[in-house]
Amino acid sequence: MATIEDVARLAGLSRATVSRVINNHPYVTEEKRKSVQQAMEQLGYVPNSIARQLRTQTHETIGVLIPRLSNPFFSKLVDAMENIAAEVGFQLIVCQTKSQKERELLYLNWLKTRQVGGIIFASTENEWDVIKPYKEFGPIMFCNEYPPHTEAPIVCLDQLKGGYIGTKHLLERGHKKIAYCYAGSQFTNIRERYAGYKKALDEYGLPLNERWMFKDAYDTRDGKRIYHALMQQADRPTAVFTSSDEVALGMIAEAKRNGTAVPDDLAILGFDDQPIAELMDPAISTVYQPVEQIGITAIRMMIRFLRNQSVPVNEITELPLHLVVRHST
Amino acid sequence: MATIEDVARLAGLSRATVSRVINNHPYVTEEKRKSVQQAMEQLGYVPNSIARQLRTQTHETIGVLIPRLSNPFFSKLVDAMENIAAEVGFQLIVCQTKSQKERELLYLNWLKTRQVGGIIFASTENEWDVIKPYKEFGPIMFCNEYPPHTEAPIVCLDQLKGGYIGTKHLLERGHKKIAYCYAGSQFTNIRERYAGYKKALDEYGLPLNERWMFKDAYDTRDGKRIYHALMQQADRPTAVFTSSDEVALGMIAEAKRNGTAVPDDLAILGFDDQPIAELMDPAISTVYQPVEQIGITAIRMMIRFLRNQSVPVNEITELPLHLVVRHST
DNA sequence: TTGTAGGCGTTATCAA
DNA sequence: TTGATAACGCCTACAA
């Protein structure tokens, strides 16, 4: 590999001048610029980004924390982020926490070792107090989900509204017994969604039934499990507000297999609006989340932090959500 | 951030000794080792991986080239790889080529800039002659797909067998008119699958009908498109060997919407065996691909290359494939 | 067993 | 406008 030294020698100039050409600095005669460029070309020279990072104390790698890539919501999110990052030469590092606190911390420590320059949390496991000390080592921000008391930039969705419009839709369809599924921890902003659910119920003067709350609802397997738990109850709900299209998918498949008509016997509402939602039979009614938008907004912010070496301001950006009515409700 | 210098000073020793402790070198008295460790602890010292990489000329970042992350096959593949990589402190960089030659080259160039230490191609756009020169800048290997004449390590699947057993299954079900879908370029080993299809047809003494070949079959949208193209033909196939579960999914959804019974009017065979395959109605018969296995095998190999700074041997590792019969055929 | 000193490939400061 | 030279943080001959 040719180094800046090689280029300098070939061009008959100093490393400093070559460096100036590379970085488009002023005060280089056109003539010398030309000869440097020619030498670079001839040697196939490309600056070593490692050396550059060491010298400038800058970073061009961003860690994105997600539970797992095989969850379509997150793969789509990372997809959107990567498009932007690649455009400007930044690298995205996949960090799958597998929903484990320790793994999240493992990746957070990469900030100290400089293996990543900044971190975007797209999901969170640890509480803010645990994460906060890492702010010292690089920009940290949240998108999609964040723990209470977060003191960092946030890009998120109006989950309260999501919970509200979803529930209201079911209520308007005449349902009075509506089950609710949620993913693990209620320590993040996802509990906002729950508040929206309660709000809608309140408006209709309906009580909340604890037995119709189902936690740990992540994927199709959970959907199946919850379907059975639901059907075993004496006082059965007539509708379910699931936590994701995955869960809805699993429930619908299992419902059909067991002769439960959807939506007649059981209405099922998804969340996300993934491509499969439209393809299922019945097509899944769901709450659309602008995944790409969150991704793009977040990554742009992070790139700005890294470029300007600026301290993130704790602003919060909230993106809208809307209902997509199909045939499962 | 504390540096090795700070630790040395606090421990009253030289940087060299500290470095020896960090890297577990022999010839350090237990006593000094202790005091170094204590100093590191006290300062919260963590080695700077950038500096280390520059000094040792080693790399701990691996670029994985895929068309796009939102394709479940690839997100699962990267998922599997990342698990292994994270275990040993290596970083995985997502490189979405979007099936574009130029984007693939963009990422290949990251090898020169040292933004990545090695590259795993999980899909390929450019021909081997174009890729070959980059071998000089770091280990390159292929998994899943590879261009003809590849001179690099390969981890792949027995696509010929995949095409063969899939087609044979349909033939055994009594089908004589079998359509075939394939993804874009026939320049990679995916053409092996096609050879398997032909082989099975040959054994049954059946001719190949060019009008039943459908290209550019990637996702659900393509499945829908191909369904319609299929139905418009005067002499219609009774079965379709699709190129992925996605495509099968789209076809089935569209078939149902148009009153075509699956599998009675049209048998549809998938490829991959993704989770949804089992959840569709009818559940999709498909050819199982051991995605995790390919991922794990490939990433382990790459880590070995990077660790030992060894030149890759052009070995080829072939993993098995098998049929999963459900209800769509 | 430990320390000194040089260098990995850059960029930035200063002097010329 | 250019060129020495000193860092960035680390590892590793070599010498002691």
Side-chain angles (χ1 to χ4, degrees):
Chain A
M1 278 301 274
T3 73
I4 202 171
E5 172 79 54
D6 300 326
V7 177
R9 197 160 30 214
L10 181 59
L13 293 162
S14 72
R15 286 176 318 194
T17 306
V18 177
S19 175
R20 287 191 190 99
V21 173
I22 296 169
N23 298 289
N24 282 315
H25 283 180
Y27 306 126
V28 181
T29 23
E30 197 49 39
E31 173 204 9
K32 311 219 158 161
R33 180 185 307 279
K34 278 260 161 48
S35 77
V36 165
Q37 279 164 342
Q38 196 179 333
M40 292 201 295
E41 183 106 6
Q42 191 174 329
L43 293 167
Y45 169 80
V46 173
N48 179 323
S49 93
I50 303 282
R52 189 179 264 186
Q53 285 179 59
L54 178 62
R55 175 62 235 231
T56 60
Q57 304 284 65
T58 59
H59 298 277
E60 41 196 21
T61 59
I62 299 167
V64 181
L65 266 53
I66 57 171
R68 45 169 42 86
L69 218 42
S70 42
N71 175 327
F73 175 82
F74 291 104
S75 62
K76 200 167 172 192
L77 184 69
V78 179
D79 176 340
M81 289 181 173
E82 202 272 339
N83 292 334
I84 306 289
E87 260 177 31
V88 292
F90 275 66
Q91 297 152 264
L92 230 58
I93 295 179
V94 209
C95 303
Q96 299 188 111
T97 66
K98 304 277 168 181
S99 303
Q100 291 167 17
K101 281 192 164 63
E102 321 79 56
R103 287 200 54 149
E104 185 170 279
L105 286 173
L106 167 81
Y107 293 119
L108 258 177
N109 276 303
W110 282 8
L111 217 42
K112 288 191 186 173
T113 58
R114 303 295 172 208
Q115 292 181 274
V116 301
I119 286 189
I120 300 178
F121 283 81
S123 68
T124 52
E125 302 304 327
N126 290 281
E127 291 171 35
W128 175 244
D129 285 348
V130 178
I131 300 170
K132 187 174 181 181
Y134 289 88
K135 276 174 83 170
E136 181 192 343
F137 308 110
I140 284 178
M141 63 173 292
F142 293 81
C143 87
N144 175 52
E145 215 180 275
Y146 56 92
H149 317 303
T150 297
E151 301 159 273
I154 295 172
V155 177
C156 69
L157 299 169
D158 191 347
Q159 297 290 349
L160 187 126
K161 184 181 166 198
Y164 179 76
I165 58 175
T167 311
K168 189 134 183 242
H169 165 67
L170 292 169
L171 289 164
E172 282 168 354
R173 282 280 202 260
H175 295 282
K176 293 195 158 34
K177 303 177 182 180
I178 303 174
Y180 183 85
C181 307
Y182 58 97
S185 113
Q186 282 289 63
F187 291 119
T188 71
N189 63 317
I190 296 300
R191 73 201 175 299
E192 289 287 309
R193 195 139 97 202
Y194 184 59
Y197 164 76
K198 282 201 293 195
K199 184 178 162 208
L201 245 43
D202 267 2
E203 286 185 10
Y204 275 68
L206 292 169
L208 200 120
N209 187 335
E210 282 298 335
R211 307 196 52 219
W212 297 340
M213 304 293 111
F214 297 92
K215 68 170 178 176
D216 294 330
Y218 297 98
D219 54 27
T220 53
R221 278 227 314 278
D222 298 318
K224 292 182 183 181
R225 171 176 56 76
I226 294 170
Y227 164 79
H228 289 294
L230 209 73
M231 297 311 278
Q232 279 170 1
Q233 302 200 353
D235 187 19
R236 287 210 296 251
T238 59
V240 194
F241 191 161
T242 67
S243 40
S244 76
D245 288 345
E246 313 289 313
V247 175
L249 206 73
M251 287 194 80
I252 291 177
E254 204 64 7
K256 288 171 75 172
R257 208 156 282 175
N258 289 274
T260 305
V262 177
D264 296 343
D265 296 342
L266 185 66
I268 298 176
L269 180 65
F271 211 99
D272 280 0
D273 194 22
Q274 290 170 17
I276 15 149
E278 191 206 348
L279 298 168
M280 277 303 279
D281 178 33
I284 303 177
S285 296
T286 193
V287 177
Y288 169 78
Q289 303 202 81
V291 195
E292 289 97 337
Q293 272 312 312
I294 326 179
I296 292 173
T297 311
I299 198 80
R300 288 222 173 106
M301 243 185 213
M302 178 53 78
I303 291 172
R304 218 172 52 223
F305 296 148
L306 255 20
R307 282 236 172 107
N308 309 340
Q309 311 217 60
S310 65
V311 182
V313 181
N314 303 348
E315 55 186 319
I316 171 158
T317 312
E318 201 170 59
L319 273 43
L321 233 45
H322 66 256
L323 192 68
V324 180
V325 180
R326 294 205 181 91
H327 309 297
S328 69
T329 53
Chain B
M1 278 300 273
T3 72
I4 203 172
E5 173 80 51
D6 301 325
V7 177
R9 195 158 34 213
L10 181 59
L13 293 163
S14 72
R15 287 175 317 187
T17 306
V18 177
S19 175
R20 289 191 189 99
V21 173
I22 295 169
N23 299 290
N24 282 315
H25 283 181
Y27 306 126
V28 182
T29 21
E30 198 49 38
E31 174 203 8
K32 310 219 160 162
R33 180 186 306 280
K34 278 260 160 47
S35 77
V36 165
Q37 279 164 342
Q38 197 180 331
M40 291 200 298
E41 184 104 6
Q42 193 175 328
L43 293 168
Y45 169 79
V46 172
N48 179 323
S49 93
I50 302 283
R52 189 179 265 186
Q53 285 179 60
L54 178 61
R55 172 62 235 238
T56 60
Q57 303 284 69
T58 59
H59 298 278
E60 40 196 21
T61 59
I62 299 168
V64 181
L65 267 53
I66 56 171
R68 45 168 42 87
L69 218 42
S70 41
N71 176 326
F73 175 82
F74 291 104
S75 63
K76 200 167 174 193
L77 184 70
V78 179
D79 177 340
M81 289 181 173
E82 201 272 339
N83 292 334
I84 306 290
E87 260 177 31
V88 294
F90 275 65
Q91 297 153 262
L92 229 58
I93 296 179
V94 210
C95 304
Q96 299 188 110
T97 66
K98 305 278 168 179
S99 303
Q100 292 166 17
K101 280 192 164 63
E102 320 79 56
R103 287 200 55 148
E104 184 169 280
L105 286 173
L106 167 81
Y107 292 119
L108 258 177
N109 276 304
W110 282 8
L111 217 42
K112 288 191 186 172
T113 58
R114 302 296 172 208
Q115 292 182 273
V116 300
I119 285 188
I120 300 178
F121 282 82
S123 67
T124 52
E125 303 304 327
N126 290 280
E127 291 171 36
W128 176 243
D129 284 348
V130 178
I131 300 170
K132 186 174 180 181
Y134 289 88
K135 276 174 82 170
E136 180 193 342
F137 308 111
I140 285 177
M141 62 174 293
F142 293 81
C143 86
N144 175 52
E145 215 180 274
Y146 56 92
H149 318 302
T150 297
E151 301 158 272
I154 295 172
V155 177
C156 69
L157 298 168
D158 191 347
Q159 297 289 351
L160 188 125
K161 184 182 165 197
Y164 180 75
I165 59 176
T167 311
K168 189 136 181 238
H169 164 68
L170 292 169
L171 290 165
E172 282 169 353
R173 282 280 202 260
H175 296 282
K176 291 193 161 37
K177 303 176 184 180
I178 304 174
Y180 183 86
C181 307
Y182 58 97
S185 113
Q186 282 287 63
F187 291 118
T188 72
N189 62 318
I190 296 300
R191 74 203 174 297
E192 289 287 307
R193 193 139 98 202
Y194 184 59
Y197 165 76
K198 282 201 293 194
K199 185 178 159 206
L201 245 42
D202 266 3
E203 285 185 10
Y204 274 69
L206 292 169
L208 201 119
N209 188 334
E210 282 298 337
R211 307 195 51 220
W212 297 340
M213 304 293 111
F214 296 93
K215 68 171 178 176
D216 293 331
Y218 297 98
D219 55 25
T220 53
R221 278 227 314 277
D222 298 318
K224 292 182 183 181
R225 171 177 55 77
I226 294 170
Y227 164 79
H228 289 294
L230 209 74
M231 297 311 279
Q232 279 171 0
Q233 302 201 350
D235 186 20
R236 287 212 294 254
T238 59
V240 194
F241 190 160
T242 68
S243 40
S244 75
D245 288 346
E246 312 289 313
V247 174
L249 206 73
M251 287 193 81
I252 291 178
E254 203 64 7
K256 288 171 76 172
R257 208 155 282 175
N258 288 274
T260 306
V262 177
D264 296 342
D265 295 343
L266 184 66
I268 298 177
L269 179 66
F271 211 99
D272 280 359
D273 194 21
Q274 290 171 15
I276 15 149
E278 191 205 349
L279 297 167
M280 278 302 279
D281 179 33
I284 304 177
S285 297
T286 192
V287 177
Y288 169 79
Q289 303 201 83
V291 194
E292 289 96 337
Q293 272 313 311
I294 326 180
I296 293 173
T297 310
I299 197 81
R300 287 219 173 107
M301 243 186 212
M302 180 53 78
I303 290 172
R304 220 173 50 223
F305 295 148
L306 255 20
R307 282 234 171 107
N308 309 338
Q309 311 216 69
S310 63
V311 181
V313 181
N314 303 348
E315 54 186 320
I316 172 158
T317 312
E318 202 169 61
L319 272 44
L321 233 45
H322 67 257
L323 193 68
V324 180
V325 179
R326 294 203 181 92
H327 308 298
S328 69
T329 53

